[in-house]
Amino acid sequence: MSEDLPTWARRIRSMREARGWTQLEAAEQMRTHSDKELPDTDHLLRRWKAWERGENKPGSFYASVIAATLGTVTASLFPPPQRATDGLELVTATGMSTLDIMSRLSASDVNEATLQAVRITVDKLCSEYARMAPQDLIREGQQWLRRLVEMQEQRLSFSQRRETLELAGWLALLVGCLEYDLGQRQAAEATRRSALSLGQEVGSSGILGWAHEMRAWFALTSGDYRGVIAAADAGEAAAGSHSVSVQLVAQKAKALARMGRGDEMLKTLEHGRVLLDGMPYPDNVENHFMVDPSKYDFYAMDCYRQVGENRLARELSEEVIRASTDFQGHERWPMRIAEAQVTLGVVAAREGNLDEAIGYGRRALEGDRKSLPSLAMHSQDLAQVLKNQYEGEPEADAYLEQLRGIQRA
């Protein structure tokens, strides 16, 4: 494919080919995903060919039909222009430094400007999840969490008390995720329960949904797939219209894939896709507790790897790596990239390319930012293929020993 083509045009073709469809078959598939009558087959085929050549970008109606046909989210296939949010300094946004905010909180000077500064601080901390060293982020998150809890002893209005508790709930969720990434399972569960309690106290559907999502995540990485489904169902009931409902559905789909329930997995993935397609584009895609459209491909990648859909898993892996890397080549979401590399390694191993499989597997383990339980779980998929197909090969055995070191950590 020409490198001059728009990304969306290249993806339309690669996703079609991953599904094994001709252009005619893809054009005809559009009819099953449209609630309106579409033009005749020749007309649709000409349009499809033009889209793959990048000659004209589809309008909003056809964009959503194409995305549904190819099994992705419209804003993932046709992302809106990026808004410049990175690098926004706290002082620029609020006129206050971190020290100024802490001083005002200590002096009980909790006015709207101070609360806004705390909101921005919490959002910034949650946006550092993917890249900042977890030990450092835990320490900073706990400092702010303690201060917000201490504020409850001050004279606050009802709305101020509720908002500071809600901000504390988001920080508790962040700290709990980081603790789990480091393998501190008991601490993470205790922090998750604290966040759940705060969510219940302030009636925050988002915090409640994410607390259940964390329980589903813990269960998934522990191999408790029925527990995943129970947590996901409870979380969906609590989350309402919050975007965490999509991630809860995704965790359920991952569990179903691992249970060998492929048809249910596909229906669940489609449910999540429709949910996310109907939500507004997030204000801050860097915030760990926002579900951005590109994350759907990340979820689906895991599911298709599990059920042996190698072509789809490869296409989605390549897209995850592309979407998780900025224009300067910096990794925005290194943990997503690591899982995509594992997936590419699994596919390579299944197709008989041991060197390529080991190369991807090693790169996945090399990153500085890791979630140890998640990385161990996903890497185990590659380990299983290597054991089944390449037992006794020195390179495979060396990788398996390296992986055992991660699992012991």
Side-chain angles (χ1 to χ4, degrees):
M1 272 181 277
S2 170
E3 290 300 317
D4 296 330
L5 287 176
T7 299
W8 55 264
R10 292 200 300 272
R11 255 209 108 190
I12 288 174
R13 178 175 171 181
S14 67
M15 293 184 79
R16 171 184 63 80
E17 291 177 340
R19 291 180 177 272
W21 293 340
T22 65
Q23 290 177 319
L24 175 60
E25 288 169 334
E28 279 297 298
Q29 283 288 330
M30 292 175 66
R31 299 190 189 281
T32 64
H33 297 278
S34 173
D35 56 3
K36 297 181 181 178
E37 186 174 350
L38 297 180
D40 62 72
T41 298
D42 288 344
H43 179 91
L44 280 180
L45 180 58
R46 286 195 300 273
R47 280 194 171 225
W48 191 281
K49 289 180 176 179
W51 292 327
E52 286 197 10
R53 291 193 297 266
E55 292 178 355
N56 62 312
K57 188 175 182 179
S60 59
F61 169 72
Y62 275 113
S64 64
V65 176
I66 294 167
T69 300
L70 296 173
T72 192
V73 178
T74 306
S76 175
L77 189 55
F78 304 99
Q82 287 190 347
R83 285 169 283 191
T85 56
D86 290 344
L88 180 65
E89 293 294 333
L90 183 63
V91 174
T92 303
T94 66
M96 287 183 277
S97 67
T98 297
L99 182 59
D100 293 331
I101 302 168
M102 297 295 278
S103 298
R104 290 195 179 200
L105 292 176
S106 298
S108 300
D109 187 10
V110 187
N111 56 20
E112 177 55 30
T114 306
L115 274 177
Q116 177 62 8
V118 178
R119 291 184 201 111
I120 292 172
T121 299
V122 171
D123 182 69
K124 182 174 182 294
L125 291 172
C126 292
S127 301
E128 293 289 347
Y129 170 79
R131 293 174 297 276
M132 190 170 174
Q135 296 91 338
D136 296 338
L137 191 52
I138 283 178
R139 184 166 52 252
E140 193 168 349
Q142 287 175 333
Q143 288 173 350
W144 281 99
L145 184 55
R146 280 194 296 270
R147 190 68 199 97
L148 288 171
V149 171
E150 290 167 1
M151 283 178 61
Q152 303 312 305
E153 302 300 321
Q154 299 175 8
R155 184 175 299 173
L156 302 174
S157 68
F158 175 81
S159 62
Q160 287 175 333
R161 187 174 302 281
R162 184 192 182 282
E163 178 152 17
T164 52
L165 285 174
E166 184 169 10
L167 291 170
W170 289 113
L171 286 176
L173 289 170
L174 174 64
V175 170
C177 288
L178 293 162
E179 288 170 335
Y180 198 71
D181 287 342
L182 292 172
Q184 300 169 9
R185 295 173 185 254
Q186 291 184 333
E189 174 58 17
T191 308
R192 184 196 73 81
R193 288 178 181 272
S194 296
L196 180 65
S197 178
L198 287 167
Q200 290 168 338
E201 184 168 350
V202 300
S204 170
S205 59
I207 292 174
L208 290 171
W210 276 107
H212 287 292
E213 191 279 338
M214 286 173 66
R215 184 161 69 94
W217 174 34
F218 297 175
L220 184 72
T221 54
S222 301
D224 177 12
Y225 304 135
R226 294 188 184 280
V228 176
I229 293 172
D233 288 343
E236 270 201 274
S241 60
H242 195 279
S243 66
V244 67
S245 59
V246 177
Q247 188 140 323
L248 287 156
V249 170
Q251 299 290 24
K252 186 174 182 177
K254 290 179 181 182
L256 290 168
R258 286 165 171 80
M259 295 167 77
R261 294 157 63 176
D263 290 343
E264 290 178 75
M265 177 208 79
L266 290 173
K267 290 177 183 177
T268 304
L269 275 180
E270 177 61 9
H271 174 49
R273 190 198 69 78
V274 171
L275 278 177
L276 188 52
D277 223 19
M279 293 179 179
Y281 197 83
D283 290 332
N284 178 13
V285 297
E286 304 291 337
N287 188 310
H288 180 59
F289 301 110
M290 293 284 184
V291 179
D292 63 283
S294 68
K295 212 171 185 183
Y296 176 85
D297 295 325
F298 173 67
Y299 304 144
M301 174 193 74
D302 177 275
C303 294
Y304 287 124
R305 181 185 73 242
Q306 286 296 317
V307 299
E309 289 281 359
N310 292 338
R311 293 170 68 178
L312 282 169
R314 181 192 291 114
E315 196 282 332
L316 289 167
S317 300
E318 291 169 350
E319 174 57 20
V320 166
I321 292 172
R322 188 200 65 77
S324 300
T325 308
D326 66 19
F327 293 113
Q328 287 77 41
H330 300 136
E331 294 183 352
R332 300 172 68 189
W333 294 297
M335 289 179 285
R336 295 189 200 179
I337 291 174
E339 187 176 333
Q341 289 168 333
V342 170
T343 302
L344 289 170
V346 170
V347 173
R350 286 172 179 166
E351 295 178 345
N353 193 330
L354 177 59
D355 289 342
E356 185 176 311
I358 296 296
Y360 281 124
R362 290 194 188 283
R363 284 198 290 277
L365 300 180
E366 288 169 358
D368 293 329
R369 183 63 180 93
K370 298 182 180 75
S371 172
L372 294 177
S374 293
L375 184 58
M377 177 186 72
H378 299 305
S379 296
Q380 191 58 40
D381 291 347
L382 177 55
Q384 192 60 53
V385 180
L386 294 177
K387 288 176 184 175
N388 291 343
Q389 295 183 209
Y390 304 97
E391 188 174 10
E393 292 281 352
E395 278 294 300
D397 290 344
Y399 172 77
L400 292 173
E401 182 55 37
Q402 183 180 2
L403 180 57
R404 281 190 283 270
I406 292 288
Q407 293 171 327
R408 288 191 295 264

